[in-house]
Amino acid sequence: MVETYNVIIDDNIKVENSFPKIYIHPFQKTYKNEKLIKSLSEGDIISNHAFLKNIKSNLLLSTSKYLNNFHQINYSEKFWDIEIGYWLDIYVFSMFESWEMMSSLLNMESNFLIKVRKNSEKDLLVQTVDHLGIKFQTPGFRESIFFFIIKYRFSDNKKFSIYETQNTSESLEILENRDYDKMNKKKMILKIYNLIFSKFIKRQKYSILRSYLSKREDLQLNFKLKQFPTFVPNLYSICKPDYELRKKITLPEAKDNEFENFLYKSIFSFIPVSFLEGFKEVEKKLNQLTLPKKPKKIFSSNMLNKNLLTRYCAHNVEQGAKLVLATHGGCYGHYNIHGAEEHERKISSLYLTYGWKDKNDPKIKPLGMIRPLPKFDKNKEKKLLTMILPSAPIFSNFIDSRASEDKLLLFQHCFRIVDNLNDKIRLNNLLIRINPSDAGMGEKIRFENKYPNIKIDAQKMSYYETLSNTKIFLSPYNGTGFLETLALNIPTIVTEFFRGKNFLREDAKEYYEILKEAKIYFDDQKLLAEHINSIWDNHLDWWYSDKVQKAVNIFCNEFAYINKNKVSEIKKLLTNNYD
């Protein structure tokens, strides 16, 4: 007998039958160790990486051609890659992940009942890439993508019985009601500043925008260049979408692959308003900003998901400016696959790193950590074992080595660490620090339910205070935090929640082996906890041993280098020719 399952995409939609359930992810309120839809594996990511890059490349060409026609312009592929390339990466991968998960149902000898929300076009659409960055943090947005794919693929498939129900998701509507453009004191001061110095700023040769430098360093860099600092705001809303227009237009290419055909047919249901109806409105807003009009070079460390900044970069690169970008995260240079890094390297003329190199790419320039290191009181008595959990959406929004992993593994590995700590450390010293904005994984409630007696901080304690009280910093994932604490020579232990062994690129593996030999990096969480138990009372003997300090220095020189001359070096790179 063929079994029937209720496919649970949104657990706010009530199921009124006794058939078993199969869930898209284990973080919904009603999930109780039931069946899960197969997610992407590490092998899936590796084997499809080139395939997805090729799709993105072809889609960029087709979309660029269409948008040039639509807007009656003739911009280059480079312009459009800077303008829409990162969004295309997100579009291709998020659709692929959802598509493949739904495909796994076809391989099951079962029938499926699916209640889907009656989505409006508004549920699928974002105004700008800034808006997308926020909307992707809500489970409701990704659920809307699943519903879209289900209706597209399975409406005529006899294995699937699809029922539409009213939209019960409030999370999507809440985002639309935020007042992003409200004037405040900071904006008023900036407006006055721009009015006073506008004449000088517009003639400047260099644009320093979202540099990730400290405010003092940003000022120093601008003053060394004999110019005034400049600023680009976020852009969350631009104009009303034309839904009737979007229903009529499509990319004309026919592809052999069903998934590619879906991407081409569906792209105008998802493409941000800022690229289509609002394209010229973005240009108007950009022209109103006080920025250099013909910069020779643009420097930024944080341009992704910033619509006005990417348009400014695209426009000026089209006019001959050079784009200098710098890394801004802990896994850059580490992961075997990293979509954001690949995109930034492709569109830039020069790419600055935390210290790592690539002998096959002459545009890579080791500089050191761009963002300022956090401050803390070195002399305060240290008592905490501080474990910092990442705040991430349930589904990845672009391809990288970690995108394949079951996020439930993060909790399982953290639980394994906590369970193997001795009672004294667990109850008196352990602090779990989480992000107060829950992106769907429910970190706080999961830890509170399992460990009602341990300390959990939803960032009510300042990071300064946290680090000042930290005896050992424990990072259960590869992020910026552990690079910063290693650079500050704070006793640090790191692990990862990957199943596979191929998430690191070859150049990085030897450095992680050095950390592993020094008992800084662990791939076994039980051994990690036992190590903390053994060194807790005399942890500085371990940390300041020659072997550990040598390992820290070798690793930091490659991935967390402190460059005291970074401002002068950036100035030199901007003022010199490097072609």
Side-chain angles (χ1 to χ4, degrees):
M1 182 178 175
V2 176
E3 192 160 18
T4 298
Y5 285 95
N6 291 294
V7 179
I8 307 300
I9 308 295
D10 177 357
D11 60 359
N12 289 313
I13 299 174
K14 291 182 180 179
V15 172
E16 296 168 343
N17 61 59
S18 58
F19 292 118
K21 298 174 182 178
I22 182 168
Y23 287 77
I24 58 164
H25 62 76
F27 301 108
Q28 285 142 321
K29 301 167 194 170
T30 58
Y31 177 75
K32 295 177 181 177
N33 296 318
E34 291 161 283
K35 203 171 183 69
L36 289 170
I37 294 172
K38 182 179 178 294
S39 58
L40 293 178
S41 67
E42 181 185 30
D44 293 330
I45 295 290
I46 293 170
S47 62
N48 285 289
H49 181 216
F51 167 67
L52 295 175
K53 281 181 73 173
N54 187 57
I55 288 178
K56 182 264 176 99
S57 181
N58 292 335
L59 200 53
L60 175 64
L61 285 173
S62 300
T63 310
S64 301
K65 183 178 177 181
Y66 184 91
L67 291 174
N68 271 333
N69 248 359
F70 183 84
H71 298 303
Q72 297 184 326
I73 52 181
N74 189 30
Y75 288 145
S76 67
E77 183 185 339
K78 183 70 173 281
F79 171 94
W80 288 111
D81 202 3
I82 296 172
E83 171 75 348
I84 69 171
Y86 185 60
W87 176 80
L88 281 175
D89 282 328
I90 293 172
Y91 175 64
V92 171
F93 180 72
S94 59
M95 293 298 168
F96 176 74
E97 183 177 33
S98 303
W99 182 277
E100 289 298 294
M101 288 180 70
M102 291 298 99
S103 294
S104 69
L105 297 178
L106 295 172
N107 300 324
M108 294 175 61
E109 296 294 328
S110 305
N111 293 325
F112 302 97
L113 303 175
I114 309 179
K115 276 191 174 182
V116 299
R117 283 201 307 264
K118 189 173 183 179
N119 286 331
S120 68
E121 299 97 330
K122 186 179 180 181
D123 293 335
L124 304 172
L125 203 55
V126 296
Q127 285 277 321
T128 66
V129 290
D130 311 63
H131 185 203
L132 177 66
I134 295 173
K135 209 160 182 176
F136 239 116
Q137 297 293 319
T138 65
F141 182 60
R142 195 56 178 269
E143 287 162 5
S144 294
I145 294 176
F146 278 104
F147 290 142
F148 186 88
I149 291 174
I150 287 166
K151 286 186 274 190
Y152 176 90
R153 296 188 71 188
F154 301 145
S155 292
D156 298 324
N157 190 313
K158 293 180 180 179
K159 287 182 66 169
F160 296 85
S161 299
I162 301 172
Y163 307 93
E164 281 196 333
T165 185
Q166 290 302 310
N167 192 338
T168 58
S169 175
E170 296 179 3
S171 58
L172 300 178
E173 297 170 12
I174 291 169
L175 286 167
E176 314 306 326
N177 295 328
R178 294 183 183 177
D179 188 354
Y180 294 108
D181 297 321
K182 188 175 180 181
M183 181 60 72
N184 56 33
K185 187 177 179 181
K186 185 177 178 181
K187 288 181 180 178
M188 183 60 72
I189 293 170
L190 183 57
K191 187 176 180 180
I192 296 168
Y193 168 84
N194 286 331
L195 282 171
I196 295 171
F197 298 110
S198 172
K199 180 180 175 182
F200 305 100
I201 289 173
K202 289 179 180 180
R203 295 202 301 259
Q204 292 177 176
K205 294 180 181 179
Y206 309 100
S207 291
I208 315 298
L209 298 165
R210 296 184 181 270
S211 67
Y212 254 38
L213 295 166
S214 70
K215 291 177 182 178
R216 179 178 58 82
E217 290 168 336
D218 197 281
L219 277 171
Q220 283 179 343
L221 178 57
N222 278 287
F223 289 162
K224 282 177 180 288
L225 294 167
K226 298 179 181 178
Q227 60 180 40
F228 294 95
T230 49
F231 308 91
V232 174
N234 292 326
L235 180 65
Y236 296 103
S237 181
I238 189 68
C239 68
K240 289 184 178 180
D242 187 337
Y243 294 116
E244 291 306 312
L245 167 71
R246 287 171 176 261
K247 289 174 184 175
K248 295 173 186 175
I249 58 178
T250 185
L251 294 179
E253 286 88 344
K255 301 293 179 182
D256 297 332
N257 180 291
E258 185 188 1
F259 172 64
E260 278 190 84
N261 269 326
F262 164 74
L263 291 177
Y264 277 74
K265 287 179 182 178
S266 306
I267 189 168
F268 291 111
S269 293
F270 293 91
I271 195 167
V273 173
S274 58
F275 301 151
L276 194 66
E277 303 95 332
F279 185 82
K280 291 181 179 176
E281 289 299 315
V282 173
E283 191 172 333
K284 287 179 186 176
K285 283 189 175 289
L286 193 60
N287 289 334
Q288 292 166 4
L289 297 179
T290 304
L291 295 171
K293 292 300 179 185
K294 293 182 180 179
K296 292 172 64 177
K297 291 175 186 173
I298 303 167
F299 172 61
S300 179
S301 298
N302 183 20
M303 67 174 288
L304 302 182
N305 290 334
K306 311 294 179 191
N307 220 122
L308 286 171
L309 178 52
T310 52
R311 175 69 67 83
Y312 177 78
C313 292
H315 172 77
N316 283 288
V317 169
E318 190 79 353
Q319 303 303 314
K322 302 294 184 183
L323 184 58
V324 180
L325 298 179
T327 56
H328 53 88
C331 48
Y332 280 72
H334 302 237
Y335 283 175
N336 189 31
I337 297 172
H338 196 298
E341 181 193 319
E342 289 170 8
H343 174 68
E344 290 172 346
R345 288 171 67 164
K346 183 172 177 239
I347 64 174
S348 61
S349 299
L350 193 66
Y351 197 64
L352 311 181
T353 76
Y354 278 12
W356 52 271
K357 311 162 194 72
D358 185 339
K359 61 185 178 183
N360 298 317
D361 189 347
K363 73 170 62 171
I364 300 298
K365 169 71 176 174
L367 179 79
M369 300 185 81
I370 305 291
R371 58 186 278 169
L373 292 171
K375 297 186 182 299
F376 71 105
D377 185 347
K378 295 179 182 179
N379 298 317
K380 191 166 185 177
E381 185 182 1
K382 318 295 182 190
K383 294 182 178 180
L384 295 179
L385 170 62
T386 301
M387 182 192 292
I388 297 196
L389 298 186
S391 175
I394 295 165
F395 297 103
S396 299
N397 56 6
F398 61 87
I399 190 168
D400 68 25
S401 294
R402 191 158 50 192
S404 65
E405 286 305 324
D406 176 0
K407 303 298 189 296
L408 197 58
L409 282 175
L410 172 63
F411 294 109
Q412 292 170 352
H413 285 191
C414 288
F415 293 164
R416 193 166 187 233
I417 293 169
V418 175
D419 289 343
N420 283 281
L421 292 171
N422 67 44
D423 291 343
K424 178 185 174 184
I425 297 172
R426 183 170 59 251
L427 297 175
N428 299 327
N429 306 102
L430 178 62
L431 174 72
I432 308 292
R433 182 178 167 91
I434 63 170
N435 194 308
S437 57
D438 183 359
M441 296 208 300
E443 298 96 331
K444 188 171 187 289
I445 194 166
R446 284 175 180 272
F447 272 88
E448 284 177 341
N449 287 344
K450 187 166 178 65
Y451 304 108
N453 297 318
I454 66 171
K455 294 186 281 290
I456 298 174
D457 173 39
Q459 297 187 8
K460 290 183 179 179
M461 186 190 303
S462 70
Y463 198 48
Y464 172 87
E465 189 179 353
T466 301
L467 282 187
S468 297
N469 285 281
T470 294
K471 185 172 180 176
I472 296 177
F473 182 91
L474 171 56
S475 180
Y477 71 107
N478 184 325
T480 307
F482 95 96
L483 296 181
E484 291 176 338
T485 54
L486 282 178
L488 290 167
N489 209 19
I490 294 172
T492 299
I493 295 175
V494 63
T495 185
E496 259 294 0
F497 61 97
F498 292 104
R499 290 192 200 93
K501 300 293 183 183
N502 297 315
F503 71 94
L504 291 173
R505 62 188 65 174
E506 288 302 318
D507 291 347
K509 286 180 180 178
E510 62 178 290
Y511 294 95
Y512 277 82
E513 281 300 317
I514 291 169
L515 291 188
K516 190 174 180 180
E517 289 175 11
K519 296 187 177 180
I520 296 171
Y521 175 76
F522 287 83
D523 51 23
D524 183 311
Q525 289 71 42
K526 185 173 184 290
L527 291 178
L528 183 157
E530 290 172 350
H531 174 60
I532 290 174
N533 291 338
S534 68
I535 65 168
W536 186 254
D537 292 332
N538 298 289
H539 73 296
L540 294 181
D541 291 346
W542 159 72
W543 186 252
Y544 286 117
S545 66
D546 290 343
K547 183 176 183 178
V548 170
Q549 286 297 294
K550 183 179 179 181
V552 170
N553 289 332
I554 291 171
F555 189 87
C556 286
N557 281 335
E558 189 71 12
F559 295 113
Y561 177 62
I562 298 177
N563 184 351
K564 295 180 180 178
N565 299 312
K566 64 183 174 185
V567 173
S568 295
E569 288 191 24
I570 294 170
K571 184 250 183 182
K572 187 177 178 182
L573 288 168
L574 292 175
T575 54
N576 289 354
N577 291 324
Y578 45 77
D579 292 336

